[in-house]
Amino acid sequence: MPFDLNVPAVSLGEAAVASGGQALVVGVTGVNASDNPGPGLGVAKSLKRAAELDVKVVALAYDALEPGVFLDGWFEDAFLIPPLSAGPAALLERLTYIQRRVGLDVLIPNLDSEVPGCILIQDALARLGIRTFLPTRQQLELRDKRHLAELATRAGIAMPRQLLVSEVNELSTAVADLGLPLVLKGAWYGAEICHDLAQARAAWAQTVARWGHPVIAQALVRGEEMNLTGIGDGRGGAEGMVAVRKLSTTGLGKIWIGVTVDHGGLLAAARDLLRLSLWRGPFELECIVDGDQVQLIEINPRFPAWIYCATGVGSNLPAALVRRALGEAPAAPSLGSGVSPGRLYVRYTDERICDLATLARMVTRGESL
Amino acid sequence: MSENDGGRLARLTMAEPGFAFDPRTGECFSISPSGRVVIAALLDQHDEDELAETLAQRFGTELALVRRELRDFLDQLRVLGLLGERP
């Protein structure tokens, strides 16, 4: 269903006035900063650090207790947005309100499950003056976990064997075919290493209950996890790619300390994938690397949670994305050579004391103003 | 015959004396002072016998002991993938 919805068009000029004049207003999701941090805070910090941009960042949260709501050093305002289950129309309606309230020039969705809905409403958002830089629906399908093996094969990149497991009694076949241990993954989120069939059955049930069908069983491959981020320009090229190796992780496997690397095979794999897919927008490649061999695990259609690492080594990808969304060419100051090996990325926990009034406003009104 | 797998060893950078980093894989290694001498000599294409004599003289240690410890160190480098297989 096209999202036309009789929304009155707002020209860029009007949007600029609505946003208070000169500063760009960028809406950013994924502002949870707990044990599974989203990319939103790293995106906000990157935007603030871009000297060539005068930007205000608006936190778009699903819950009033997402820490980004309270980080007024990085976010000028915060708004609750409807859950994804409410559908893209509800999101469009809410963003229309936010655009009129504080002005929005650009939207950066930072969670995988948001991207399809944002693609559906991007034209309607553009008519409001809210720009995006997103992949096409076809590109999103190409890197879907269920189809990724086809793309990897076409690009000549190795990938662990995988099977779709639609029913629990298919698990024994998957175990026999892929061996143990294996990895069970949801179509969107979740991954659990299973060492025996009983564990696999329990993990399958939990995955279906939480993320639905299908469940993907994937052979476990050994090596080092290396992830790479960048922006696809929509013409087969990439800008500002940065790769990291995890040096320490949380209990959930999230990077806590990493180091940037310059792995030729990994960069080549990324370029091949982008050339084939003509990817448009931010991306993260998750790979397992063993010596020269690179095995593709996933392609995420958004910035990773460690995106600030790229900014820190000279590739301010969020700033570059904003300029792409506005139809501008990338500016040299925000894009480094793309690779600076040997730089440490260190996460830590910080604390703030905040006024309860912010929480009260978020809960009662859905906004921090 | 030199046992030097120059590629990976040569790629290591020393962020600090005794701390080596492989910019391709992101691996980090701590290396003793004598280990640094060995690696420098390997990169300079010295073979195991030459290395042992150099180390024995430099550190004033019995040659037989140095040979044994050098062999262990080179095996460690092989396990880490920094050196080719023993000929």
Side-chain angles (χ1 to χ4, degrees):
Chain A
M1 167 190 262
F3 286 93
D4 209 50
L5 297 180
N6 296 317
V7 173
V10 175
S11 71
L12 275 178
E14 289 176 49
V17 169
S19 71
Q22 301 299 315
L24 279 170
V25 183
V26 182
V28 168
T29 69
V31 298
N32 192 18
S34 60
D35 57 346
N36 186 5
L41 181 56
V43 168
K45 288 166 67 175
S46 301
L47 293 175
K48 290 297 189 180
R49 204 171 143 165
E52 76 282 9
L53 290 179
D54 181 9
V55 65
K56 293 183 180 178
V57 189
V58 175
L60 302 174
Y62 293 103
D63 190 289
L65 286 175
E66 290 186 23
V69 167
F70 306 97
L71 301 179
D72 55 9
W74 303 113
F75 300 97
E76 271 78 8
D77 300 304
F79 289 85
L80 288 182
I81 55 176
L84 291 166
S85 56
L91 176 62
L92 179 62
E93 183 179 345
R94 183 61 173 166
L95 291 175
T96 305
Y97 168 79
I98 295 171
Q99 214 272 356
R100 289 189 170 124
R101 190 85 166 89
V102 297
L104 272 181
D105 298 296
V106 178
L107 172 68
I108 302 179
N110 288 302
L111 302 180
D112 294 6
S113 48
E114 295 170 339
V115 177
C118 289
I119 292 174
L120 277 174
I121 63 173
Q122 64 183 323
D123 291 340
L125 288 174
R127 285 192 291 276
L128 286 171
I130 303 172
R131 302 304 175 94
T132 55
F133 194 73
L134 295 169
T136 64
R137 199 184 322 178
Q138 291 74 22
Q139 288 165 351
L140 205 61
E141 280 289 313
L142 276 178
R143 43 64 52 200
D144 182 286
K145 288 178 196 175
R146 290 161 286 189
H147 309 137
L148 186 58
E150 295 169 33
L151 177 61
T153 301
R154 284 171 53 205
I157 299 165
M159 197 177 151
R161 289 191 309 114
Q162 64 181 35
L163 295 168
L164 296 185
V165 181
S166 303
E167 296 178 22
V168 66
N169 55 15
E170 293 174 1
L171 274 172
S172 51
T173 305
V175 166
D177 197 343
L178 302 175
L180 287 168
L182 56 69
V183 186
L184 283 188
K185 306 161 79 162
W188 286 110
Y189 301 110
E192 184 172 341
I193 297 175
C194 303
H195 296 270
D196 56 47
L197 186 56
Q199 186 183 4
R201 287 195 180 111
W204 184 91
Q206 285 169 5
T207 303
V208 167
R210 194 153 182 215
W211 306 115
H213 288 279
V215 176
I216 296 137
Q218 192 175 65
L220 183 68
V221 292
R222 302 291 180 188
E224 294 300 328
E225 186 174 349
M226 291 190 192
N227 298 345
L228 180 150
T229 187
I231 295 175
D233 63 11
R235 296 186 301 275
E239 54 184 317
M241 292 197 290
V242 173
V244 293
R245 172 191 170 132
K246 296 180 181 180
L247 292 183
S248 76
T249 58
T250 68
L252 293 175
K254 306 302 175 184
I255 186 171
W256 207 248
I257 295 183
V259 64
T260 56
V261 295
D262 178 4
H263 192 289
L266 183 58
L267 289 168
R271 290 191 185 107
D272 288 341
L273 286 165
L274 290 164
R275 179 178 46 78
L276 263 176
S277 65
L278 303 180
W279 186 264
R280 185 175 185 270
F283 67 89
E284 180 193 21
L285 298 191
E286 294 184 22
C287 299
I288 298 292
V289 178
D290 184 8
D292 289 332
Q293 189 183 46
V294 175
Q295 296 215 54
L296 178 64
I297 302 298
E298 280 182 32
I299 302 177
N300 296 316
R302 40 84 183 150
F303 287 132
W306 53 270
I307 187 62
Y308 189 68
C309 173
T311 301
V313 299
S315 276
N316 193 329
L317 292 169
L321 186 73
V322 165
R323 284 194 301 278
R324 287 274 183 188
L326 296 173
E328 298 171 16
S334 285
L335 294 173
S337 64
V339 179
S340 283
R343 302 296 303 277
L344 272 183
Y345 168 71
V346 179
R347 272 188 162 144
Y348 66 101
T349 301
D350 199 356
E351 292 137 331
R352 297 283 302 276
I353 304 300
C354 303
D355 198 320
L356 188 63
T358 303
L359 178 61
R361 286 192 294 271
M362 288 297 292
V363 169
T364 57
R365 291 187 250 158
E367 54 190 76
S368 63
L369 290 83
Chain B
M1 177 191 295
S2 170
E3 296 176 297
N4 181 24
D5 177 14
R8 198 163 175 212
L9 272 184
R11 182 168 84 209
L12 296 180
T13 61
M14 293 286 177
E16 276 283 314
F19 186 91
F21 172 71
D22 183 340
R24 188 164 186 269
T25 66
E27 285 173 287
C28 305
F29 308 95
S30 60
I31 309 175
S32 64
S34 55
R36 297 205 299 271
V37 172
V38 171
I39 289 174
L42 286 172
L43 290 174
D44 213 23
Q45 304 289 315
H46 292 288
D47 65 25
E48 192 170 336
D49 287 336
E50 287 176 305
L51 266 172
E53 284 169 16
T54 302
L55 285 170
Q57 279 176 17
R58 179 160 173 163
F59 295 102
T61 312
E62 185 190 332
L63 184 60
L65 176 62
V66 169
R67 282 191 200 284
R68 270 201 308 279
E69 303 219 333
L70 176 60
R71 185 148 281 228
D72 286 345
F73 182 71
L74 295 177
D75 284 341
Q76 248 191 307
L77 293 180
R78 289 185 191 95
V79 166
L80 291 170
L82 293 171
L83 204 60
E85 289 300 314
R86 183 179 296 281

